[in-house]
Amino acid sequence: MDFLSDVLLSNKRKVRVLNILDECSRKVLLSFAATSIETRKLVKILQDLRAQKGKPAYIRCDNGPEFISRILRKFADENGIEIRFSQPGKPTQNGLVERLNGTQRYECLNLKYFKTVQEVQQELDICGAARAVELI
């Protein structure tokens, strides 16, 4: 999982997109846009995703503040999920989701100006964020 950032045209507020990708199938499990996604919200999203798709063996992510928090660590420990952090400065260790971020930016987010977070989410849905991503 990883975050992608953009800015709204209407008020210059940041928008964050949480992307969660299944490394094995290369399917996007979730692309969620919001102005802020703090750790408690991230854990709620992960709980909902686990209820829908089942428990993953591990989560691969970078060392962002939401990912290194005690709250996420507690969730992972309670659910028997390993967290695999990529080394700082080595985005290729999480290359599949980094590629997804680039594709979403190039094919979806850079094509339009957005006024609201809802417009960003709609565009992600239209661009086919829930389809298999060709990464080869």
Side-chain angles (χ1 to χ4, degrees), residues 17-20 28-33 100 104 121 124-125 128-130:
V17 177
L18 171 64
N19 281 316
I20 301 177
V28 178
L29 300 178
L30 179 84
S31 284
F32 176 76
L100 171 63
Q104 281 184 341
Q121 186 67 57
L124 290 170
D125 294 342

Side-chain angles (χ1 to χ4, degrees), residues 26-102:
R26 297 185 178 188
K27 285 194 176 212
V28 178
L29 300 178
L30 179 84
S31 284
F32 176 76
T35 54
S36 173
I37 303 174
E38 59 185 42
T39 305
R40 291 184 199 288
K41 178 67 175 172
L42 173 63
V43 168
K44 173 70 171 115
I45 290 168
L46 291 173
Q47 288 170 334
D48 292 347
L49 193 58
R50 187 191 62 152
Q52 294 172 10
K53 304 285 185 181
K55 181 186 85 152
Y58 65 90
I59 297 172
R60 184 180 314 279
C61 56
D62 61 22
N63 292 285
E66 298 87 354
F67 301 142
I68 62 171
S69 74
R70 282 181 264 140
I71 297 168
L72 182 61
R73 168 59 56 203
K74 181 179 178 194
F75 164 78
D77 289 345
E78 288 174 351
N79 289 280
I81 301 170
E82 177 187 357
I83 298 180
R84 296 182 182 173
F85 294 105
S86 56
Q87 293 172 297
K90 304 251 184 187
T92 55
Q93 292 178 348
N94 201 4
L96 295 176
V97 79
E98 293 291 349
R99 171 69 189 269
L100 171 63
N101 287 348

